[in-house]
Every structure is written in C-alpha cells, then in structure tokens.
C-alpha cells in the first residue's frame, strides 16, 4: 500500500496532429499539478485536500474546460459545475450552473461541510457562495476568445460538442476552410488520490458541453456518474455527461470491484466498455495504490504517479516524453 494520484484534463477526439500551441500548455498544466500533488501527498496532506487543491489549479488554467476557460452555452454564457467526495465517510458536495464562482470545486466542498445538503445549483448556489465569501468574478472573466470561436463552430455545425470534438467543415462555399487541427473544445478536469493509509478522495469540475442548452447539467456534479469515492476506490470521469449518467460510470467501477471481485484496472476497463464508443474516459485509484486511466475516445489528457516511483503524463495510448 502506498499513495497514488491521477488527474485528467478531458477525453475526446483529440487528433494526433494537435498543434504544439494547443497541446503543450495542457501538458505543462498537468505536469505542474502532478508535481504539486506528489509534494502534497509526501507531506501527508489528506487526499480530500489534495484533490481540491489540484482541481482548483486546473480551474485556473484557461486551457481546460473548467473555471476560467469554461465553454459556452447556446446563449453565450458560462455555467460551471463541480463535485467532490471523501471515500472514507462518503461525504460529498456538488454545485452546478455557476456563473461567477472562480473555483467551483471549493464551493462544492463548502456545500459538503457547511450545509446539510449535497447539491446546490443556480441562484441558490450563487447566493451560498456570496454568503461563504468565496472568490467570485464578473462572468466575463471566464470567457476566452477561443471559446467564443468554439461556440460559433458548434452553432455553425448545429451540434453540441464533447471534449476535444473536432470542428466539421462549414457550408459548401467554405468547405475547404476548417479550423486547423480541430480542438473545438477543451477538457473537463478531475483528480483522484489515495494516501499511504488508504484514504481516498475524488473531485471533478467542468464548464460542460459547447453549445449546451442553458440549464443543462452533466455528469461532473452527479455523485456516482462523474465523481465517486468509497473505501475501495476513487473515480473521476470525463466525456459526454449523458452517457456517464446513464451508465452511473463512477459508481459502477466501485460496484464491479466490490461485487465481481475485479481489480481496479479490470473494473475500470469493464465499465468503460459498457459506454458507447467515443463517449467516455476516467481516472481512478484504489485503496492499495493501484492506478487506472481508461478511455474509449481517441485520447485523454491525463497524468498520474504513485509512491513506488511510477509517473506518467499522456494523451493517447503511449506516455508523453
């Protein structure tokens, strides 16, 4: 048994031709967060504190679809959501449809610790944020020029897009002109961690889908779908929320471990195999320090490390150098 950590920056149709200016900042963000997480676990920080810390870091990176840099609804607005869960106690908190909270994951933790509830959304969540004095910003803070363009691409194609969906060609008169190398959406973020005593925690945060209807809620704030932790494992999922909710993906990993007696890697692979192709990915750790990073999309931005010295940052099937 030993500590382990895994984080993701979204799964989807990530082309191998993704330009360096779009790939490298995300790799750097994941490497930085992995280093921060390793240091925190070595300093005996509780996994709940670690996953909140790292998801906050990723929310502050405009290169990911969470916090600053969240994708836009069909109305051109930002609606952010997040959840967090403690494996030992199964205490959890979730928030959705936030438009001013800088770090949704921390508000989710406050819901867990400061209210008798699990889930707050919309105006009630915003009011709770003001009551708790968390950092807020004008909605314009979260909107980037890249995401304005991504919304235009999605609306031109008349579709809702999951993480890293490549833009389709425009109308016939513009058929030869596509946005270079895809990248029409950046990725949901999540982190799972276990310490040397087997304590587990998970957290997930997102801006949702490009061109989603205002008020749409995905899997990231749904305990058991996008986030789950118990005494066996901690899971954070990414991809198309509707598929994850239908499949109760995060909870099913733990259930398959418990009731079928599978290892973490076997359970994660089994669960993702039940989700329609090109829809899902997840990162998970077990109470014994096992790590699983599984996806049925082209790729998934991810990073992981364990106490035995294993470390990886990867997008596709092979680790990045």
């Amino acid at each position: 048994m030993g500590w382990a950590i895994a984080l993701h920056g979204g799964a989807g149709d990530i082309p191998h031709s993704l330009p360096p200016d779009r790939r490298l900042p995300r790799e750097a963000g994941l490497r930085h967060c992995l280093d921060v997480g390793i240091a925190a676990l070595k300093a005996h920080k509780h996994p709940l504190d670690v996953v909140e810390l790292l998801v906050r870091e990723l929310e502050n990176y405009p290169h990911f679809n969470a916090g600053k840099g969240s994708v836009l609804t069909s109305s051109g607005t930002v609606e952010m959501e997040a959840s967090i869960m403690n494996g030992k106690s199964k205490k959890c908190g979730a928030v959705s449809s936030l438009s001013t909270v800088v770090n949704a994951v921390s508000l989710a933790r406050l819901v867990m610790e400061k209210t008798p509830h699990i889930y707050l959304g919309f105006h009630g969540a915003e009011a709770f944020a003001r009551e708790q004095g968390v950092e807020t910003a004008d909605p314009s803070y979260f909107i980037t020029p890249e995401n304005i363009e991504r919304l235009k691409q999605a609306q031109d194609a008349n579709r809702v897009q999951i993480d890293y969906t490549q833009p389709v060609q425009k109308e016939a008169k513009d058929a030869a002109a596509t946005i270079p190398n895809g990248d029409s959406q950046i990725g949901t973020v999540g982190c799972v961690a276990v310490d040397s005593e087997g304590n587990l925690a998970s957290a997930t945060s997102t801006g949702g889908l490009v061109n989603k209807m205002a008020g749409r809620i995905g899997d990231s704030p749904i305990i058991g779908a996008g986030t789950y932790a118990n005494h066996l494992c901690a899971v954070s999922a990414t991809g198309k929320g509707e598929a994850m909710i239908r499949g109760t993906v995060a909870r099913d990993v733990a259930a398959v471990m418990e009731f079928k007696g599978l290892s973490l890697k076997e359970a994660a692979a089994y669960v993702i195999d039940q989700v329609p192709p090109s829809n899902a990915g997840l990162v998970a750790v077990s109470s014994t320090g096992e790590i699983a990073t599984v996806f049925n999309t082209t790729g998934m931005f991810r990073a992981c490390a364990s106490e035995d010295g294993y470390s990886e940052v990867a997008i596709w099937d092979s680790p990045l150098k």
Side-chain angles (χ1 to χ4, degrees):
M1 181 181 293
W3 60 258
I5 188 169
L7 53 153
H8 68 76
D13 183 16
I14 308 173
H16 284 77
S17 58
L18 191 67
D21 66 326
R22 296 189 181 276
R23 175 174 56 83
L24 294 177
R26 294 168 187 166
E27 292 176 18
L30 290 173
R31 290 183 193 278
H32 166 73
C33 288
L34 187 63
D35 289 342
V36 171
I38 290 171
L41 287 169
K42 286 182 175 180
H44 306 291
K45 299 292 185 182
H46 192 280
L48 191 68
D49 297 324
V50 175
V51 298
E52 180 189 6
L53 172 64
L54 296 197
V55 170
R56 282 177 61 94
E57 289 280 333
L58 291 167
E59 286 174 336
N60 294 337
Y61 270 78
H63 307 288
F64 295 107
N65 176 20
K68 184 177 179 63
S70 290
V71 297
L72 305 180
T73 69
S74 58
S75 301
T77 57
V78 167
E79 293 187 356
M80 300 168 287
E81 51 195 34
S83 62
I84 190 168
M85 188 166 187
N86 183 334
K88 185 174 183 178
S89 66
K90 290 191 181 178
K91 289 184 177 180
C92 50
V95 290
S96 64
S97 298
L98 301 176
S99 60
T100 68
V101 177
V102 173
N103 294 114
V105 69
S106 292
L107 187 63
R109 183 167 182 179
L110 287 170
V111 171
M112 178 182 75
E113 296 181 340
K114 302 293 185 180
T115 81
H117 308 305
I118 289 175
Y119 196 155
L120 293 180
F122 300 91
H123 300 302
E126 291 281 352
F128 178 66
R130 292 192 295 272
E131 175 188 308
Q132 293 297 312
V134 302
E135 184 179 3
T136 59
D138 186 87
S140 61
Y141 161 82
F142 303 95
I143 299 174
T144 65
E146 291 79 9
N147 281 334
I148 294 173
E149 179 60 27
R150 289 183 177 100
L151 176 61
K152 183 177 184 300
Q153 294 168 9
Q155 291 179 331
D156 286 348
N158 191 30
R159 68 179 181 179
V160 175
Q161 297 178 173
I162 69 168
D163 290 359
Y164 302 104
T165 302
Q166 297 187 66
V168 298
Q169 291 184 332
K170 297 179 182 179
E171 298 174 352
K173 64 181 181 179
D174 297 321
T178 59
I179 304 300
N181 293 296
D183 197 31
S184 62
Q185 184 180 337
I186 49 186
T188 293
V189 303
C191 182
V192 293
V194 60
D195 64 16
S196 57
E197 297 180 359
N199 296 305
L200 291 147
S202 175
T204 311
S205 181
T206 190
L209 301 178
V210 180
N211 199 31
K212 66 181 181 181
M213 294 175 64
R216 177 263 186 187
I217 295 171
D219 67 297
S220 295
I222 304 295
I223 300 301
T227 300
Y228 191 74
N230 67 1
H231 66 289
L232 293 173
C233 67
V235 184
S236 175
T238 175
K240 188 171 183 181
E242 285 73 11
M244 246 76 70
I245 294 170
R246 292 186 189 104
T248 58
V249 167
R251 165 58 183 158
D252 270 12
V253 174
V256 169
M257 289 180 69
E258 183 172 1
F259 300 117
K260 292 180 71 72
L262 300 185
S263 69
L264 177 72
K265 290 183 179 179
E266 292 169 336
Y270 174 86
V271 171
I272 290 297
D273 191 52
Q274 308 307 305
V275 181
S278 302
N279 275 278
L282 64 82
V283 296
V285 294
S286 73
S287 61
T288 59
E290 187 181 10
I291 297 172
T293 59
V294 185
F295 50 95
N296 67 7
T297 55
T298 304
M300 179 174 70
F301 276 95
R302 61 199 189 275
C304 57
S306 57
E307 190 170 347
D308 62 9
Y310 175 76
S311 180
E312 175 185 274
V313 177
I315 305 173
W316 302 285
D317 287 336
S318 299
L320 298 171
K321 302 301 184 183

